[in-house]
Amino acid sequence: MSTSNNKTNQSPLPSGGAGGGLLHSEGAGGGFHVLDITKEHCPMTFVKTKIELSRLQPGDTLEVLLAEGEPLDNVPRNAREQGYNVLSVEHVEGTTYKVTIKK
């Protein structure tokens, strides 16, 4: 599995991807990462989120773009259970939500 290390100043929605995309950017106080799992289904939604969280440095932030339903219920809950700080859950558009998690 390969991930992109491109820095970005784009909106939190990657364009034209089929889900599973990952964007990285440097920010004050730690790295900022976006993981698009909008096309994934449980249990892969949290599996991919957990893998990405494990790669982050303490203080880094991960924005997870996901679909409503099971992913929206499970990802924030599982992240909290794993000891991560869920900063926010926000509606982006349509059936897409953004969960912001700090390591």
Side-chain angles (χ1 to χ4, degrees):
M1 182 167 103
S2 160
T3 59
S4 170
N5 288 325
N6 296 334
K7 292 183 180 181
T8 182
N9 291 325
Q10 299 174 346
S11 75
L13 277 178
S15 61
L22 180 63
L23 303 172
H24 297 272
S25 179
E26 296 299 320
F32 176 81
H33 311 266
V34 177
L35 177 64
D36 180 1
I37 55 170
T38 53
K39 304 294 184 197
E40 299 293 336
H41 301 283
C42 289
M44 291 308 295
T45 52
F46 191 66
V47 169
K48 288 190 174 192
T49 302
K50 186 174 179 179
I51 289 169
E52 186 56 28
L53 285 166
S54 73
R55 294 177 179 160
L56 301 184
Q57 297 299 312
D60 284 358
T61 301
L62 177 65
E63 282 190 353
V64 183
L65 299 170
L66 45 75
E68 65 185 1
E70 258 189 300
L72 183 58
D73 294 335
N74 293 335
V75 170
R77 184 187 72 239
N78 289 330
R80 285 185 191 101
E81 288 173 358
Q82 296 283 316
Y84 297 102
N85 186 8
V86 177
L87 301 175
S88 65
V89 177
E90 303 173 44
H91 182 248
V92 176
E93 66 182 9
T95 60
T96 302
Y97 286 77
K98 175 177 65 175
V99 177
T100 305
I101 305 168
K102 187 170 186 175
K103 183 169 184 177

